[in-house]
Structure formats: C-alpha cells, structure tokens
Amino acid sequence: MASSAPSRVVETLRDEILNGTLAPGARLRQEDIALRFNASRQPVRDALRQLEGDGLVNLVANSGAWVSKLSESECFEAYQMREKLEPLLISRSIPNLKPAQIQRLTELVSEIERATDLEQFLRLDREFHLLSYAGAAPGMLREFVERIWNTTQHYRRAFAKLSGFATSEVTHMEHKLILDGIVRNDSAQAERALEAHIRRTRVTLSEHKEIFN
Amino acid sequence: MASSAPSRVVETLRDEILNGTLAPGARLRQEDIALRFNASRQPVRDALRQLEGDGLVNLVANSGAWVSKLSESECFEAYQMREKLEPLLISRSIPNLKPAQIQRLTELVSEIERATDLEQFLRLDREFHLLSYAGAAPGMLREFVERIWNTTQHYRRAFAKLSGFATSEVTHMEHKLILDGIVRNDSAQAERALEAHIRRTRVTLSEHKEIFN
DNA sequence: ATGGGCGAAAATGTATCCAATTACAACTTT
DNA sequence: AAAGTTGTAATTGGATACATTTTCGCCCAT
C-alpha cells in the first residue's frame, strides 16, 4: 500500500536535505515538486508545511520556500541544546533497550571505527545515536532531539569533510564509554559520557567557523 | 491591513487553546472553522498544519484534527525540558534586556503578588517569563521554550485551579530571586533561581496526578 | 441479545481554476 | 547617468468541485 502523496514528498525531500542533495538555501518551487511527484500543488504545500514544522524548510508568505540555513550562532545554540537534552533522553531509553538493540549498538561502534568513507561514517554515527534512543517513549523530548539532529546534519557533514571526517581516537573512546554505560545498564555513566561527547564536539566545531560561508 | 487568512486562524485558535476555550481533546473540523472565518478549507488546513508544528494540535491523516493532550508522563517530561532549556535562554537574554523591559519585569513581580483571580495570575506569570526572554535572539532555543509553555499552559491552569492558584510565598520569593539576577545583570544567579523555580514546580505538579483525568 | 459486516453520510484529501502578491525589468524622469 | 516608477511575467494563495477514506448507524445472521 502506497502512503499518501504528502508523506511521499515529505520523506523524499527530508532524505535529500539530510543526505546533502538539497543544500541549505536551495529554493523549493511548488510547481516543480508537484510535477516531479505527479501530484497537484496542494499536497506539496502540505508537505512543505510539515517540513517547516521539522525545521528543515523555511516558508515565506507570498514568496517561496527554501531549505533551512543555520548561522554559526544558531548551530552553536543547537549543540548547546543537544548537550542538555540528549543525556536526558538516553537515560530514559536505556532501561527499555532490548538485547538485540544493544547487540546492534555494539556492532555499530566497531563499524564506525572501521568506517572508510565520509557518508558511511555519517550514516553509522547517526544510526548509533538514534538507536540508542529507541527505548525512550515517543514524545516531545525525542521529537526535539531528532529535530536538532536533522537541522544540524548538513553542518555535521561539512565539518567531517573539513577534518578528513576525523574519526579520531577520542571519538571512538567516547562512543565506547557511552556503549559501556548502556551495556552495564548504568544510565548515569551513559549520560555523563554522552554529555562530554557532545560538549567536545561543540567546542571543536566552534573552531571551524569557515563551515558557515 | 488584515493579515492572511491562515494567520488569522492560527492566532485565534492558538488564543482559544491557551485561554482554555478549546480544551485538550476537542475536535477541530475543517469545514466548521472555514465557515467561521469566511474562508475555504485550504487556508484552514494550512493553519492546522502550523498549529501542529507548534505542538498545539494533533493531525491524523484521513481522520481529523484534535487539540493536543498531554499524558501525565509527557507533562512531566515537558517540565524536565523546561528545567534544562529555560535557564540557558534567560542567560542569553539578560545582557540584551532594555531598561524599560527590566522596569516592566519589576512591576510584574509586584502585580503577580497582588493578583486576585486565577486568569489574571496566569496571564501575568506568563508575561513575566516571556518578557524575561525577550532579549534572546530568535532561534530554536526560544522556539522550543515557547512551545513547552504553550503545550503545558492548560495543565498550568488546571493545577493553579486545584491549589487555589496557590501563589504561595515560595513562588514570590523565587520570582524575586530571578528578578534580582536580572536587575543585577547576574546571569548565573538568574539561571540558578529559574532552574530551582521550575524544578520545584515540577515536583509539586507531580503530586497532583488527578489533573490528567 | 450480541457480534459482525454492509451501506450511507460525513469528513478529509486532491485537482483544477482563478485571484493576489511579488520580483524583475524596462522605461521615464530628473 | 542614476534613481524612481510602472508594467509584465512568474509564483504563491485561495476557492470550488470532485474523489477517497473513514465512521457510524443499521440490518442480518448466529
């Protein structure tokens, strides 16, 4: 069964924004999108509004829609929020993670360590974090964290590209600390390790302002 | 000049949800709203999507729209997020507050202390907090905090009603501590005072689960 | 009497058409 | 020549009509 037209548009455009096909600032014309999906402009407008709600698209009345763009300070702010919210989320998730999920998380840490190309690294790293929250109940907290991930994804890529997708030893150590907290069902340690990981990432990122040009 | 049809709908419905005219769980039929605003259903659909983005409305495909409802644990979670995010926001706001705004904040603390009815108290308290963030740059952080305020507003009212809108001495003291931090340009104190205020409110709220029936 | 399925009514989803707004460009004016 | 103005093209906003989906009452069968 095929999902509704707006859903298809939302899913596709979201993917293209996250994987970099659509760069921040790119214009989104309703008619073009409608033609592309063999639909009329109404479902497209619905889809654009949904994407706006996800923070991925900016709509300006009587003017048009563009892929969202973060300034340096906005990106910094997003990381500060992550630092506060993600630890809360992971601590709510850990007690509910199933053995199979923990197994997968363990594999992911190894795979990330052995990742050879940038897109692979980004995909695995994202999967690791999103899966680590899989035990948390759906709700505002999860929604907010996922939105932060989505809106900063482009800058994560830009930063990784700049530093030769610097999968430094530090990153691996941090991942292992987080994983250890998960495996040992020690929410407090996972929280601390995750917070430290995000904080270091934020500080490192703030030393590469050239991403935002 | 009158703003666009969707804006009028969004503004009006948002007000009615916040002031309690529309209770959580109330159904929102597109046709009814369209008739009421002398518009067609398209602008109404746009408006509902925007309200969904604000977390005030739930849309279910092919079924309908309802005013958002929080469970006890969701409301608790929202307060935990407030506790983490609001202090961050107020510390970013304080350096940019203008003298006139600080003056108004001072007045508000007094007015809150003398508030006689429930709706007045809710309105003044809300104005105090929102104004205390007025110095912060627009962005995700501010958006998130405002969304938390909006989605929890109904439960703030229910709780205040239950406890005789308990404007306890503790509340006044906390407000004064926050204000003192603002006046003395001491962001750190304001942060601490605000966090303590929210935490106490959260704990108190969690002792009144009957609100969520 | 109760449970399940069927059908009609009602609400949402989509397409097409027209109106309103905006942006751009050419033109006039100083 | 530069700045302001006006007109036209392009794009979005809104309304009407139609299709699809869901829902709920009703009937029938067990």
Side-chain angles (χ1 to χ4, degrees):
Chain A
M1 156 199 163
S3 50
S4 70
S7 318
R8 284 197 309 273
V9 175
V10 167
E11 296 297 328
T12 306
L13 290 187
R14 192 206 312 270
D15 285 349
E16 295 186 350
I17 292 171
L18 293 181
N19 73 25
T21 307
L22 287 169
R27 174 137 194 207
L28 301 169
R29 275 182 296 271
Q30 298 178 0
E31 178 119 19
D32 293 350
I33 300 171
L35 284 173
R36 180 177 160 198
F37 288 88
N38 286 320
S40 80
R41 278 175 43 227
Q42 258 62 17
V44 172
R45 292 175 57 172
D46 260 30
L48 289 175
R49 277 262 182 252
Q50 285 184 252
L51 289 167
E52 186 193 30
D54 293 339
L56 291 172
V57 163
N58 283 333
L59 262 70
V60 179
N62 289 314
S63 178
W66 290 266
V67 177
S68 289
K69 210 169 187 169
L70 293 186
S71 69
E72 179 204 328
S73 66
E74 285 169 330
C75 192
F76 188 79
E77 187 179 271
Y79 267 85
Q80 282 192 309
M81 289 189 273
R82 253 191 82 183
E83 197 175 318
K84 301 287 187 186
L85 296 182
E86 264 198 39
L88 209 56
L89 183 56
I90 203 173
S91 75
R92 293 193 154 216
S93 168
I94 289 178
N96 305 319
L97 283 174
K98 296 170 186 168
Q101 294 173 316
I102 295 179
Q103 172 60 30
R104 177 67 185 142
L105 286 167
T106 307
E107 289 168 17
L108 280 168
V109 168
S110 304
E111 290 181 31
I112 291 170
E113 202 160 358
R114 297 194 310 267
T116 52
D117 81 278
L118 190 145
E119 290 302 328
Q120 187 188 20
F121 167 75
L122 285 172
R123 188 162 25 83
L124 294 172
D125 188 46
R126 184 183 169 91
E127 189 186 344
F128 174 75
H129 283 277
L130 292 191
L131 182 56
S132 72
Y133 313 139
M140 252 201 288
L141 178 53
R142 209 165 139 176
E143 202 181 313
F144 280 16
V145 170
E146 281 173 13
R147 173 160 166 185
I148 294 174
W149 267 85
N150 286 346
T151 54
T152 56
Q153 175 76 359
H154 173 268
Y155 303 95
R156 291 171 30 79
R157 173 179 294 107
F159 172 65
K161 203 172 292 185
L162 205 74
S163 44
F165 77 96
T167 54
S168 66
E169 280 306 316
V170 182
T171 304
H172 298 142
M173 178 58 76
E174 288 166 345
H175 277 162
K176 280 172 187 158
L177 279 174
I178 297 170
L179 179 65
D180 189 53
I182 295 173
V183 170
R184 298 200 351 267
N185 205 4
D186 183 346
S187 296
Q189 173 185 328
E191 271 190 69
R192 280 194 310 271
L194 179 57
E195 187 184 342
H197 175 53
I198 300 171
R199 185 184 311 123
R200 189 191 55 79
T201 307
R202 168 168 63 79
V203 171
T204 310
L205 189 79
S206 71
E207 294 164 354
H208 291 267
K209 305 186 192 302
E210 62 267 37
I211 292 173
F212 301 93
N213 299 332
Chain B
M1 157 194 165
S3 50
S4 70
S7 319
R8 284 197 309 274
V9 176
V10 167
E11 296 298 328
T12 307
L13 290 187
R14 189 206 313 268
D15 284 350
E16 294 186 350
I17 292 171
L18 293 181
N19 73 25
T21 307
L22 288 170
R27 173 132 195 212
L28 301 169
R29 274 183 294 271
Q30 299 178 359
E31 178 115 23
D32 293 350
I33 300 170
L35 283 172
R36 180 177 162 200
F37 288 90
N38 285 318
S40 79
R41 279 173 41 226
Q42 257 63 15
V44 172
R45 289 169 59 95
D46 259 30
L48 289 176
R49 278 265 182 248
Q50 286 183 253
L51 289 167
E52 186 192 32
D54 292 341
L56 292 173
V57 164
N58 282 334
L59 262 70
V60 179
N62 287 315
S63 177
W66 289 266
V67 177
S68 291
K69 209 170 187 169
L70 293 186
S71 69
E72 179 204 330
S73 67
E74 286 170 328
C75 193
F76 188 79
E77 187 178 271
Y79 268 84
Q80 282 191 310
M81 289 190 272
R82 254 191 83 183
E83 196 176 319
K84 301 287 188 186
L85 296 182
E86 263 197 40
L88 207 56
L89 182 57
I90 203 174
S91 75
R92 293 194 155 216
S93 167
I94 289 177
N96 304 318
L97 284 174
K98 295 171 187 169
Q101 294 173 315
I102 296 178
Q103 172 60 28
R104 177 66 185 142
L105 285 167
T106 307
E107 290 168 18
L108 279 168
V109 169
S110 304
E111 290 182 31
I112 291 170
E113 200 160 0
R114 297 193 310 267
T116 52
D117 81 278
L118 189 144
E119 290 301 329
Q120 187 187 22
F121 167 75
L122 285 172
R123 187 162 27 82
L124 294 172
D125 187 45
R126 183 183 169 91
E127 188 185 344
F128 174 73
H129 284 275
L130 292 190
L131 182 55
S132 72
Y133 314 138
M140 254 202 287
L141 177 54
R142 208 164 141 178
E143 205 180 311
F144 280 14
V145 170
E146 281 174 12
R147 174 161 165 186
I148 294 173
W149 267 86
N150 286 346
T151 54
T152 56
Q153 175 75 0
H154 173 267
Y155 303 94
R156 292 172 30 79
R157 173 179 293 108
F159 171 67
K161 203 172 289 183
L162 205 75
S163 46
F165 79 96
T167 53
S168 65
E169 281 305 317
V170 182
T171 303
H172 297 142
M173 179 58 76
E174 289 167 345
H175 277 163
K176 279 172 187 157
L177 280 173
I178 297 169
L179 179 65
D180 189 52
I182 294 173
V183 170
R184 297 199 352 266
N185 204 4
D186 183 344
S187 295
Q189 173 184 330
E191 271 190 70
R192 280 195 308 272
L194 179 57
E195 186 184 342
H197 175 52
I198 299 171
R199 183 184 312 124
R200 190 192 55 79
T201 308
R202 168 167 64 79
V203 172
T204 311
L205 189 79
S206 71
E207 294 163 355
H208 291 268
K209 305 186 191 303
E210 63 268 35
I211 293 173
F212 300 93
N213 300 330

